[in-house]
Structure formats: structure tokens, C-alpha cells
């Protein structure tokens, strides 16, 4: 058992680290439980070219390390362990990691969301080397290339349409013979001359040693295999918010994302705030995650001031 902290931040992607910078500058001495896989999804990204302030681009892990160093400079303390459980039913709140229970007057949830992957060994090996889960992050690197998008929902169609700005062609690979996306998104995709469709197909291997050279497909009806030559594969089969710790304690939507108040990061539990991809299933960008991390820290500071005044 340790002393009660004013702010505990769970997670260490762009949202959590930005919250740590702001909370640190506010003299709140935040405790960041960053997890063993610290840094969030940007740790899987090679070049980041769309984060403001880096005209030449920056490697994802380098950006996260700079954010972390900045938070440390302003007094944030880090614990490199995964959180095992939380108790948001009584105050101060409890966050347990390993054998230690940490107490916090306020909590900022920045646990992010994980892109669902196909589960192929080659996919894991080539992630960041032609395999991506984010078209707006990586599409620019595939100018005049042939690409594939795996999925059949709105997110897959949005990714495919976006990628036609750069690619010579985009093939949407779907395991059924009709899409799951909304009618308007389907109409836009079908009307786009650069988009092709590979129906009743599922990836069984991504071809290439150091970069993507193609994708091996299996026909879900006949079982036959074929090869599609592409330079990049975008997996768009959805995201899973990392909210298992909080189920039954704060309000989540039907897909498991933390529900926050309008124009706020406040959750259904007073004193608990959430920022980044754990509550944002629309933008999912490092810069928007950082923005909500900033919001969460400011709102946490104001909430602490008000609660101290009331005592």
C-alpha cells in the first residue's frame, strides 16, 4: 500500500503521456502505470509523418520516448507493470499492479484500443513493413502502389476509398459475397474505378521476407488458393478497446468503448476521466489522442480543486 496520489494515469500512449505532461506541470505529481507493452500502438509504427512539429517525420517509438521524457521532466512517476484490477466503486480509487495497490483521488484511463489482426505469423513479422492497420497513418507511403484492404465493413471501405488517393489500385478482400458496410459507403466504393473486390476470400499468408510482395488467399467456397500481388496490406477488421478492467464499473457502449460526456473526458464515475482510443472510435489518431489526454488532465485538475474546496 502506498500513499494516495492525486492523479493515477493508466496507459502510456499519446493520450496517457500527454495527460502526464499536463498533470505534471499542474504540480499533481501523476503516477503513470504504463504497462509492460508501454507506448501504445505507435510503438508498432515506423515513420510518423503527420504529427505536428516533425517536418521530416519521426519514428513512432522515438516520438513516444520523447513524450515520456517530457512527462518525467515535469515530475511524472512511471510504473512499468500491467494493471491487474481496479476498484472505482469507492474513493480513493484503487489500481492494483503486481503486488502493490495504488490509491488515487482521480483516475485517467488511457488504455487505448487494439486493432484486430488476422493472426498470421507473416502479418506480425511484416507489421510496419507493408502491413498496416491505419490508412490515414500510412497511406502516404504507398504512392503508385497496388494495395489490398482486408474487411467488409464501413472502416474497410473508408480505408479503401482513402487509399485510392495514393494507390494505383485497391483490392478489397472479403470472406463473403456481399459487404457489411452501410449502403452509402458501398455505393462510394463501387463507384470508385480504382477499387476492386475479391469476394469469398480470406488471407492465409502474406508473402515477402522484408516487405510485402503479395497475399495468399483461400476461396471460402471452393477451398482453392490464389496469389494477389500487392505492395501493401491494410487490415481493417475492427478494433477492440482495452476496457476489460473497467467492465461493470463505468459506462461502456455496445462495442466496449468508454462513454464520456459531450465535449468532455468525464466518465460516468465522478473523478474518472478517459482519453484516447479507449473512448474514440472515430478518429484514432495520435494527435487526437494527445488532445483528449490534455483535456483529461485539465478536467482532472479542476475536479480535484472542486472536491478539495468541498471538504
Amino acid at each position: 500500500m502506498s500513499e494516495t496520489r492525486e492523479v493515477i494515469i493508466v496507459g502510456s500512449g499519446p493520450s496517457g503521456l500527454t495527460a502526464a505532461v499536463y498533470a505534471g506541470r499542474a504540480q499533481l505529481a501523476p503516477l503513470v502505470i504504463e504497462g509492460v507493452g508501454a507506448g501504445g500502438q505507435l510503438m508498432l509504427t515506423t515513420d510518423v509523418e503527420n504529427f505536428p512539429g516533425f517536418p521530416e517525420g519521426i519514428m513512432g517509438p522515438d516520438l513516444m520516448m520523447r513524450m515520456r521524457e517530457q512527462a518525467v521532466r515535469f515530475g511524472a512517476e512511471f510504473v512499468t507493470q500491467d494493471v491487474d484490477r481496479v476498484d472505482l466503486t469507492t474513493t480513493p480509487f484503487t489500481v492494483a499492479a503486481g503486488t502493490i495497490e495504488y490509491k488515487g483521488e482521480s483516475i485517467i484511463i488511457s488504455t487505448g484500443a487494439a486493432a484486430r489482426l488476422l493472426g498470421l505469423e507473416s502479418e506480425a513479422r511484416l507489421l510496419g513493413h507493408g502491413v498496416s492497420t491505419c490508412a490515414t497513418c500510412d497511406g502516404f507511403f504507398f504512392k503508385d502502389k497496388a494495395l489490398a484492404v482486408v474487411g467488409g465493413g464501413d472502416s474497410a471501405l473508408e480505408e479503401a476509398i482513402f487509399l485510392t488517393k495514393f494507390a494505383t489500385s485497391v483490392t478489397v478482400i472479403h470472406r463473403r459475397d456481399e459487404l457489411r458496410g452501410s449502403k452509402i459507403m458501398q455505393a462510394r466504393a463501387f463507384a470508385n474505378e480504382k477499387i476492386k473486390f475479391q469476394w469469398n476470400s480470406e488471407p492465409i499468408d502474406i508473402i515477402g521476407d522484408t516487405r510485402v510482395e503479395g497475399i495468399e488467399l483461400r476461396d471460402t467456397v471452393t477451398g482453392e488458393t490464389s496469389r494477389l500481388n500487392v505492395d501493401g496490406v491494410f487490415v481493417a477488421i475492427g478494433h477492440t478497446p482495452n476496457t476489460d478492467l473497467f467492465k461493470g464499473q463505468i459506462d461502456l457502449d455496445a462495442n466496449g468503448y468508454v462513454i464520456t460526456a459531450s465535449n468532455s473526458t468525464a466518465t460516468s464515475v465522478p473523478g474518472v476521466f478517459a482519453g484516447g482510443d479507449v473512448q474514440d472510435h472515430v478518429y484514432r489518431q495520435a494527435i487526437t489522442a494527445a488532445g483528449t489526454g490534455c483535456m483529461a488532465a485539465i478536467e482532472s485538475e479542476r475536479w480535484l480543486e472542486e472536491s478539495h474546496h468541498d471538504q
Side-chain angles (χ1 to χ4, degrees):
M1 190 71 68
S2 57
E3 79 279 8
T4 299
R5 312 296 288 251
E6 289 192 286
V7 182
I8 295 178
I9 299 167
V10 183
S12 58
S15 175
L17 294 179
T18 303
V21 168
Y22 274 79
R25 291 187 77 245
Q27 305 296 308
L28 297 178
L31 176 69
V32 183
I33 305 182
E34 62 180 348
V36 174
Q41 292 188 71
L42 279 190
M43 298 301 286
L44 303 176
T45 306
T46 48
D47 289 320
V48 179
E49 289 199 328
N50 55 4
F51 199 90
F54 298 94
E56 303 302 320
I58 183 170
M59 300 292 280
D62 291 343
L63 179 59
M64 290 297 89
M65 185 55 65
R66 288 195 186 195
M67 285 189 178
R68 191 183 190 279
E69 289 170 356
Q70 196 170 3
V72 169
R73 177 189 162 203
F74 290 119
E77 181 185 343
F78 284 79
V79 172
T80 310
Q81 278 192 297
D82 291 332
V83 173
D84 300 310
R85 61 182 174 82
V86 299
D87 184 357
L88 307 180
T89 60
T90 57
T91 55
F93 305 114
T94 301
V95 180
T99 58
I100 302 176
E101 285 190 346
Y102 301 93
K103 299 288 186 179
E105 293 182 50
S106 67
I107 302 287
I108 295 175
I109 298 170
S110 297
T111 48
R116 293 184 197 135
L117 295 171
L118 301 168
L120 304 174
E121 180 279 326
S122 52
E123 172 191 47
R125 178 168 45 82
L126 292 167
L127 197 62
H129 300 279
V131 174
S132 172
T133 58
C134 180
T136 50
C137 308
D138 300 328
F140 180 80
F141 301 114
F142 293 90
K143 283 185 175 178
D144 302 322
K145 303 290 187 183
L147 303 177
V149 172
V150 182
D154 274 357
S155 60
L157 298 179
E158 286 171 13
E159 300 262 287
I161 292 167
F162 179 83
L163 288 169
T164 59
K165 295 180 180 181
F166 312 102
T168 54
S169 67
V170 178
T171 302
V172 176
I173 298 167
H174 189 40
R175 60 185 307 161
R176 300 180 182 87
D177 59 1
E178 59 181 8
L179 299 168
R180 292 179 290 107
S182 61
K183 296 300 181 188
I184 188 167
M185 290 304 299
Q186 290 193 43
R188 287 176 186 168
F190 289 136
N192 194 310
E193 293 181 352
K194 284 190 175 182
I195 297 179
K196 309 169 187 175
F197 294 87
Q198 186 88 26
W199 303 110
N200 296 321
S201 298
E202 60 181 2
I204 56 174
D205 194 20
I206 297 172
I207 301 159
D209 294 326
T210 57
R211 63 178 181 83
V212 171
E213 297 173 8
I215 185 166
E216 188 176 355
L217 304 172
R218 178 168 53 214
D219 190 301
T220 57
V221 177
T222 66
E224 293 180 3
T225 61
S226 61
R227 170 173 172 155
L228 177 67
N229 292 323
V230 291
D231 302 295
V233 176
F234 287 77
V235 181
I237 54 177
H239 288 74
T240 302
N242 299 318
T243 52
D244 284 351
L245 284 168
F246 313 105
K247 285 178 179 174
Q249 301 194 63
I250 57 173
D251 289 350
L252 307 176
D253 71 12
N255 294 312
Y257 288 88
V258 176
I259 297 172
T260 50
S262 178
N263 299 317
S264 171
T265 62
T267 71
S268 58
V269 176
V272 178
F273 306 88
D277 288 10
V278 76
Q279 53 86 230
D280 166 29
H281 53 82
V282 177
Y283 301 104
R284 293 199 297 261
Q285 299 297 302
I287 190 67
T288 49
T292 52
C294 162
M295 291 167 60
I298 292 172
E299 289 186 289
S300 175
E301 179 191 4
R302 290 174 180 169
W303 185 84
L304 287 165
E305 283 180 7
E306 290 170 8
S307 60
H308 289 167
H309 275 303
D310 293 340
Q311 291 174 2

